[in-house]
Amino acid sequence: MIPLSPEAVADIVGGELIGAGTGEVTGISIDSRTTRSGDLFVPLDGEHTDGHRFISSAQAAGAVAHLCAAAQAPSVAGPGAIVVDDPLDALTGLGAWVRDAVDPLVIAITGSNGKTTTKDLTAAAIGAGRRVVANPGSFNNELGLPLTLCLLQPDTEVLVCEIGARGIGHIAQVMPMLRPDVAIVTTIAEAHIGEFGSIEAIVQAKGELVEGLDPGGVAILNADVPACAGLAQRAPGRVITVGRSGSADLSPDAVEADDHAVVTMTVKGQRVRLPLPGQHQVTNGLLALAAAEIAEVDLETAAEGLASAAVSRWRMEISTVGGVTIVNDAYNANLDSMRAALATAAGMRVDGRRIAVLGFMAELGDRTESAHRTVGEVVAESGVDRLIVVEERAVAIAQGAQDGGFDGPLDVVADAAAAATAVTGSVTAGDLVLIKASRSAGLEAVAQRLTDHLTDGEAGA
């Protein structure tokens, strides 16, 4: 963050500083347990508590100043307090100020699937040639975005960030703060349709990122998804399309995959190896390359960055332990991403069995049962040898698999712990285990327990 005095922060956010801070503000904290020396503590209203209760703890941890809601000031404001109407609004204003002060090229990414992976790949491709800041993890909402903006340094050249949405208007709300120069839309699908209500609402919401660009901005769109490509009509300026279609502005000349389904593609004569498995990563890589070109990073340099990209955890993480290949894709799930994960597993060379541990897909509304049944039908066609379905709320996966003709061992277990017991009790060297569900299912615990089990050398031969 740009070092600022508490007086300067108060001026930026329109607050009243009580007393004086104890030094320069060099970071932001919203959790007193992780507050560090030099932080500005921002107390927020949570579902179960109010952050104002932890101001003293943040001060003890080294916070040099803190925001304070005016309504709370009589009871908690003290030296170093910056009294504002609303701490979150003040944080938003501070983030917008930092963005304007640094003035980087801002690349914003949204879409139904692949936001975080595309953000990671784009940051890596551009970061090979320029100084980049990207939002940590999935800091992609009205709280995470200003926190990300506050990470900008005076010498930052490019900001790469993803933007999530839970309804129409959510992206439009953050556009004045973020003011992106480049808008990337990865894809449009039925993820979170339970919250949006319809695919039309999803198109409307994701398109807010495109139509919010200035006329000099650039929209980068997935040409292989008609609803996504159609957003070009809402772009006020230049549009670049990417995809496997020959009509796309940027497409691969060739695509090949190794035994782990990790893809290498040739783009404009340059070989580009992606750090993740799956044919669906081709589009994510092309989006990153298109953004790198706008950021004036040459193709060879961008390809080097992509090959060594570090991606966020639990997204198609592949590890081989005790001769067993574990594909941990437990961060989130919807119908399209389930299809992609199963197709990726089917494309990997396996000496033993393919075991799928699949759980509930959240936020699908009245399409929940039909989507889970469809996943089961995909399982039946994808070469899976054993299926473990986690929790009764995902039982339609099992029903769909049976209806689709799946005749391998099939278990429906109560929870992630039971799934871990089931898979560790039978896995042997040479097997592949795919683990996938929405985040609320907590299936990353299955991957961890399986890893621990195999590390201890208990897998069969």
Side-chain angles (χ1 to χ4, degrees), residues 189-258:
E190 294 187 352
H192 312 298
I193 198 167
E195 295 190 357
F196 283 95
S198 69
I199 192 69
E200 291 77 17
I202 295 173
V203 172
Q204 179 63 33
K206 301 303 183 183
E208 291 170 2
L209 180 60
V210 173
E211 66 188 8
L213 291 168
D214 290 335
V218 181
I220 306 176
L221 305 176
N222 181 348
D224 297 332
V225 178
C228 188
L231 295 178
Q233 300 175 5
R234 295 166 64 179
R238 180 185 172 199
V239 174
I240 297 173
T241 57
V242 309
R244 298 197 136 175
S245 167
S247 62
D249 297 318
L250 184 65
S251 60
D253 303 315
V255 176
E256 59 191 63
D258 65 15

Side-chain angles (χ1 to χ4, degrees), residues 326-339:
I326 303 170
V327 183
N328 182 356
D329 198 26
Y331 187 81
N332 212 344
N334 54 60
L335 180 53
D336 282 358
S337 67
M338 279 283 199
R339 282 194 178 109

Side-chain angles (χ1 to χ4, degrees), residues 79 82 92 95 97 169 178 228 235 240 249 333 341 346 354:
I82 300 172
T92 300
W97 183 90
L178 198 59
C228 188
I240 297 173
D249 297 318
R354 290 182 175 86

Side-chain angles (χ1 to χ4, degrees), residues 117-202:
T117 297
T118 300
K119 178 260 297 182
D120 292 338
L121 296 180
T122 301
I126 296 174
R130 303 191 66 181
R131 291 181 291 276
V132 173
V133 165
N135 45 352
S138 295
F139 274 34
N140 64 8
N141 59 15
E142 66 279 1
L143 174 58
L145 288 169
L147 288 171
T148 299
L149 289 172
C150 288
L151 294 175
L152 295 171
Q153 299 291 329
D155 63 350
T156 301
E157 297 176 291
V158 182
L159 169 67
V160 179
C161 59
E162 63 173 282
I163 304 180
R166 289 293 186 269
I168 292 173
H170 288 184
I171 292 177
Q173 179 183 351
V174 300
M175 290 295 278
M177 168 182 59
L178 198 59
R179 295 194 299 106
D181 303 291
V182 179
I184 296 176
V185 184
T186 61
T187 190
I188 290 177
E190 294 187 352
H192 312 298
I193 198 167
E195 295 190 357
F196 283 95
S198 69
I199 192 69
E200 291 77 17
I202 295 173

Side-chain angles (χ1 to χ4, degrees), residues 357-359 386 388-393 411-426 435 437 440-450 453:
V357 182
L358 307 179
R386 184 184 182 196
I388 299 172
V389 175
V390 187
E391 298 184 57
E392 282 297 319
R393 59 181 180 164
D411 297 294
V412 178
V413 299
D415 53 26
T421 297
V423 72
T424 57
S426 64
I435 301 167
S440 60
L443 294 199
E444 70 277 2
V446 178
Q448 185 59 59
R449 185 166 156 191
L450 178 57
H453 167 81

